[in-house]
Amino acid sequence: MSGSVKAGYVRALDLKTGRVDMGHGAGGKAMAQLIDELFARAFANDYLAQGDDGTVLPAPEPGERLVMATDAHVVSPLFFPGGDIGCLSVHGTINDVAVMGARPLYLAASFILEEGFPLAELKRIVDSMAAASRAAGVPVVTGDTKVVEQGKGDGVFITTTGVGALPAGRSLSGANARPGDAVLVSGTLGDHGMAIMAQRESLAFESEIESDTAALHGLIADLLAAVPGVRVLRDPTRGGLATTLNEIAAQSGVGMLLEEKAIPVREQVDAACELLGLDPLYVANEGKLVAIVPAEAADAALAALRAHPLGREAARIGEVTADPNAFVQIRTGFGGKRMVDWLSGEPLPRIC
Amino acid sequence: MKYVDEFRDGDVAAKLADAIAREAATGRDYAFMEFCGGHTHAISRYGVTDLLPPNVRMIHGPGCPVCVLPIGRIDMAIGLVLARRDVILTTYGDCLRVPASNQLSLQKAKARGGDVRMVYSAADALTLAQKNPGREVVFFAIGFETTTPPTALVIRQAQALGLTNFSVICNHVLTPSAIMTILESPEVRDLGTVPLDGFIGPAHVSTIIGSRPYAFFAEEYRKPVVIAGFEPLDVMQAIRMLIRQVNEGRAEVENEFTRAVTADGNLKAQALVSEVFELRRSFEWRGLREVPYSALRIRDAFAGWDAERKFDLAFQSVPDNKACECGAILRGVKKPTDCRIFGTVCTPENPMGSCMVSSEGACAAHYNYGRFRDIPVVAA
């Protein structure tokens, strides 16, 4: 009988019904198998194939500087309309690098897995990550896996770190906004946060709200090519547009005045916010861009954004004002004015 | 958004603003109190103040359930959840950050190991009890007449189901007694330090209790009351109706919110509430102190679902922080900006007083939406 089993045979990882066990993080053969059969296969690239503790990467072009960003992802639920924690963890970090004006080059990924987590779901997540990384042209070049006992995690946590190259002479910073500048957004606000909330609260709408999770480096490259004088770029994730604009206002020492009517929000998102008592300006986005540009470049910037599939609904939503208090204000559709303040520690669930 | 945007229309608002300005151009000042936090929020959120002439002033009343909840009641819940590890304490999200004694809050009690969970409804708390038969699920119930019927319903359901691991800490309070306390306060009644020309009456509360209970205030205290919905156009229309009453020397109860409020209110809900609850002889309100017959407790027939009796909880009154002006602000005696710690020591991130906790509170509403008005405009 033993003749029918090939020498050195190892039973393949059971990706249909298997579950993560403590051995998958113990550093032994089970871990090596998980890495080989799942991660390395999905992310397959020459850097990862080096197989060492770290990855050797080529130097950037002469004159270029490096940009590095990291982002931990703990979203619950792991799968949501429009995406999952896998593609989200790729998009999130690419966007953090890209809004600095850099060309995203490489990603590192760290997984914290909970004992008992179905391998089939892990495969779905890793495949989604790999697809997102390939679509973006930014490979995952190194990684790590740890397993925690049941009850000590929440399925999967993923931390990704990104490295990008910043062309000589380019400097985008939240401190660059100046009075008179135009404030633009690349599309509708609140989609990601409400997609998650609607699912968590089992809200049924006639048409489902989908997360906007997307990698923005293509859109940003087009914008910067059309308008090299862009002053500030940010992706308004946690805390939404309101928090992002307050950060910029504080960093630059300026105020802002927004026009409520000009801010694009999908009707379902608006309705869901109304129902849950939330303000779409404070709800997270994962595929939107805030751009602050000199007023004279606003039309060109808007045209560049709208020409890209991810920026079709871009809008000019307000202007930067001179205000030493760094207040962000809005003219309401009703006709009054109010502040759009920092988000104050609401007990909102995990959205990214 | 259909059925909502119509009540937030800027063009209609502009016309209404013109009408208000015309009718208020009488040379006198008008001061109206919006009782409900829902109105306070609408006024701040939509910038209604900008559409009112300078001689019309809105005073933010005590109708924010979180704001009037005394510290001692929160202490009671914190004490329970920290002492009994079998207890799951459930409550509405607004309650979690209310500052209690010893620099604690329910949220901080959670960080110390107490099992505190936010629910969207009383029914969610009941479901949690059904799903956790080995745990004691306690619902910390707060609110005015609007949230009382759902609490009554879950108590009755728990009894019908024989669900013995569910109980309620009842903090439900009554609107008319609070209005009466304000009207009886020396600042309004004798000293005249708080000029008060009328009330915008509650929206959702009135759908339950109807418009009749306010007739007494209109008659006895000669104060007009206009019941209004929570949308900004409702508020502006109500202000216009109040100005008219004042100008014509009338003091009546008028109903702007006829799309939802009737004279009698919701009789079924009223019956349900009186089946499960009875009046407390007295209840402490933050800002208003002890108010007689102003709150509800669970009747003897439902004693098994009364957490105060089940866990032998005792209320201990706790004085407010000395510098905090919440009390005077809730009575309309002071404005948020009159408080020395407003916006410095006391902010929404670090609330000292209850008015800074809920977005419906006068201080939080002004801090979040209106504090740019306190600072002189700097030319660009």
Side-chain angles (χ1 to χ4, degrees):
Chain A
M1 292 300 286
S2 62
S4 64
V5 177
K6 278 187 208 154
Y9 171 81
V10 178
R11 190 191 285 187
L13 204 59
D14 180 1
L15 290 171
K16 283 210 175 91
T17 61
R19 286 175 181 269
V20 171
D21 61 48
M22 296 308 293
H24 288 126
K29 276 193 173 164
M31 188 173 106
Q33 188 182 22
L34 182 73
I35 291 170
D36 283 351
E37 293 182 27
L38 185 59
F39 296 112
R41 209 168 282 174
F43 296 129
N45 60 65
D46 292 343
Y47 299 109
L48 204 56
Q50 291 172 15
D52 292 312
D53 279 357
T55 301
V56 180
L57 302 169
E61 304 292 318
E64 286 189 334
R65 287 159 297 161
L66 292 178
V67 167
M68 189 168 164
T70 189
D71 208 343
H73 297 86
V74 298
V75 65
S76 168
L78 298 169
F79 302 92
F80 46 83
D84 54 66
I85 190 172
C87 61
L88 183 71
S89 69
V90 168
H91 296 152
T93 295
I94 287 180
N95 293 347
D96 283 348
V97 171
V99 293
M100 298 296 296
R103 202 168 69 248
L105 296 173
Y106 314 105
L107 289 172
S110 248
F111 295 80
I112 296 173
L113 308 176
E114 186 183 1
E115 178 188 19
F117 188 70
L119 288 175
E121 287 190 24
L122 182 60
K123 181 168 176 0
R124 260 178 82 193
I125 290 167
V126 172
D127 285 347
S128 162
M129 262 182 104
S133 132
R134 262 193 304 277
V138 186
V140 175
V141 298
T142 183
D144 184 47
T145 308
K146 297 271 163 38
V147 178
V148 295
E149 296 90 342
Q150 209 154 67
K152 300 275 169 77
D154 195 2
V156 182
F157 297 143
I158 305 176
T159 301
T160 50
T161 301
V163 173
L166 185 67
R170 181 177 292 166
S171 152
L172 293 173
S173 158
N176 291 349
R178 291 181 210 162
D181 286 353
V183 182
L184 314 181
V185 291
S186 66
T188 55
L189 295 170
D191 300 55
H192 175 74
M194 285 327 290
I196 303 278
M197 289 291 287
Q199 185 147 38
R200 289 177 73 112
E201 305 306 330
S202 312
L203 300 179
F205 291 94
E206 277 177 25
S207 53
E208 199 165 41
I209 301 173
E210 289 205 346
S211 166
D212 58 352
T213 180
L216 295 169
H217 57 315
L219 177 73
I220 291 172
D222 287 2
L223 173 64
L224 289 171
V227 181
V230 169
R231 302 219 212 259
V232 186
L233 290 178
R234 279 279 163 91
D235 55 334
T237 53
R238 264 174 311 168
L241 176 74
T243 304
T244 298
L245 292 183
N246 272 288
E247 284 166 7
I248 297 170
Q251 248 182 302
S252 295
V254 295
M256 293 193 197
L257 181 59
L258 311 179
E259 284 296 334
E260 193 173 49
K261 279 183 181 166
I263 299 175
V265 178
R266 265 184 232 295
E267 194 165 351
Q268 304 99 290
V269 171
D270 211 12
C273 282
E274 183 75 26
L275 201 63
L276 294 175
L278 300 172
D279 183 338
L281 299 187
Y282 292 89
V283 178
N285 310 278
E286 289 292 342
K288 293 292 155 25
L289 188 65
V290 172
I292 296 189
V293 302
E296 60 273 17
D299 290 340
L302 206 53
L305 289 173
R306 286 181 178 162
H308 191 280
L310 290 176
R312 281 207 192 98
E313 292 168 285
R316 181 174 180 174
I317 60 165
E319 62 168 353
V320 177
T321 58
D323 179 356
N325 301 297
F327 286 160
V328 178
Q329 297 179 43
I330 192 167
R331 211 188 318 271
T332 68
F334 196 70
K337 263 207 294 187
R338 68 171 162 93
M339 282 187 57
V340 178
D341 211 352
W342 294 83
L343 179 69
S344 53
E346 294 300 309
L348 285 174
R350 300 203 304 267
I351 43 162
C352 60
Chain B
M1 244 182 305
K2 220 173 166 200
Y3 309 124
V4 173
D5 290 343
E6 291 87 334
F7 297 100
R8 299 174 186 174
D9 188 295
D11 295 335
V12 180
K15 284 185 195 132
L16 205 44
D18 286 345
I20 288 174
R22 256 195 328 271
E23 292 180 34
T26 51
R28 62 161 288 169
D29 288 336
Y30 300 83
F32 303 120
M33 174 179 278
E34 84 277 4
F35 181 83
C36 278
H39 288 132
T40 305
H41 187 256
I43 289 170
S44 314
R45 167 76 177 72
Y46 296 95
V48 170
T49 318
D50 289 334
L51 298 167
L52 298 178
N55 61 326
V56 176
R57 184 192 152 202
M58 298 308 294
I59 300 170
H60 310 312
C64 153
V66 164
C67 305
V68 295
L69 187 68
I71 296 171
R73 300 292 297 181
I74 299 269
D75 283 354
M76 203 188 234
I78 291 175
L80 174 65
V81 76
L82 288 182
R84 296 268 312 240
R85 289 304 155 112
D86 58 332
V87 166
I88 301 176
L89 190 98
T90 58
T91 191
Y92 298 125
D94 263 8
C95 286
L96 295 179
R97 295 194 305 125
V98 179
S101 300
N102 305 318
Q103 305 203 323
L104 280 176
S105 63
L106 283 169
Q107 200 168 27
K108 287 179 182 158
K110 183 172 183 238
R112 294 193 179 192
D115 195 344
V116 178
R117 302 190 197 179
M118 181 180 100
V119 288
Y120 281 97
S121 70
D124 288 350
L126 189 77
T127 310
L128 199 64
Q130 286 173 299
K131 283 189 185 154
N132 295 277
R135 304 284 302 272
E136 282 288 343
V137 174
V138 178
F139 179 55
F140 188 78
I142 71 156
F144 289 90
E145 289 86 341
T146 328
T147 49
T148 310
T151 307
L153 198 63
V154 291
I155 292 176
R156 217 173 61 171
Q157 278 175 333
Q159 191 189 47
L161 293 166
L163 201 62
T164 54
N165 67 325
F166 177 76
S167 57
V168 172
I169 300 180
C170 176
N171 305 289
H172 286 298
V173 286
L174 303 171
T175 306
S177 359
I179 295 184
M180 173 101 94
T181 304
I182 290 165
L183 288 168
E184 283 287 345
S185 73
E187 293 99 342
V188 174
R189 188 141 205 182
D190 308 322
L191 309 174
T193 38
V194 180
L196 195 54
D197 299 308
F199 286 94
I200 294 185
H204 296 171
V205 162
S206 306
T207 63
I208 307 290
I209 67 173
S211 62
R212 236 185 271 287
Y214 310 105
F216 176 75
F217 308 118
E219 275 167 35
E220 183 70 19
Y221 296 93
R222 303 296 306 153
K223 301 288 183 198
V225 178
V226 176
I227 294 161
F230 280 147
E231 294 299 331
L233 279 180
D234 289 320
V235 175
M236 292 200 48
Q237 181 61 27
I239 291 170
R240 186 187 187 187
M241 288 163 79
L242 283 169
I243 291 170
R244 278 193 185 164
Q245 285 207 40
V246 172
N247 288 353
E248 293 165 10
R250 290 183 289 127
E252 297 163 9
V253 178
E254 290 182 308
N255 186 1
E256 184 276 341
F257 199 30
T258 48
R259 63 184 189 274
V261 173
T262 61
D264 292 326
N266 184 336
L267 297 173
K268 219 169 161 181
Q270 291 168 23
L272 176 66
V273 167
S274 59
E275 182 192 336
V276 176
F277 298 112
E278 62 189 5
L279 279 175
R280 286 180 197 259
R281 199 159 296 219
S282 180
F283 193 75
E284 186 184 314
W285 290 52
R286 213 165 175 181
L288 304 179
R289 302 190 192 92
E290 286 286 330
V291 180
Y293 299 106
S294 64
L296 299 172
R297 70 166 179 220
I298 297 166
R299 282 187 189 274
D300 288 343
F302 297 90
W305 289 271
D306 183 349
E308 285 179 64
R309 288 188 245 192
K310 186 173 189 175
F311 300 105
D312 201 16
L313 304 175
F315 173 75
Q316 185 104 45
S317 178
V318 179
D320 267 320
N321 182 308
K322 276 202 190 95
C324 173
E325 298 280 12
C326 277
I329 291 165
L330 284 169
R331 293 196 306 278
V333 178
K334 291 195 173 172
K335 287 183 276 192
T337 43
D338 295 332
C339 178
R340 277 191 300 124
I341 57 174
F342 173 83
T344 52
V345 177
C346 184
T347 60
E349 285 69 39
N350 230 330
M352 300 298 291
S354 51
C355 299
M356 194 56 105
V357 175
S358 163
S359 63
E360 294 189 346
C363 293
H366 185 68
Y367 186 90
N368 287 329
Y369 293 135
R371 73 182 189 281
F372 69 92
R373 290 181 222 280
D374 306 336
I375 288 158
V377 179
V378 186

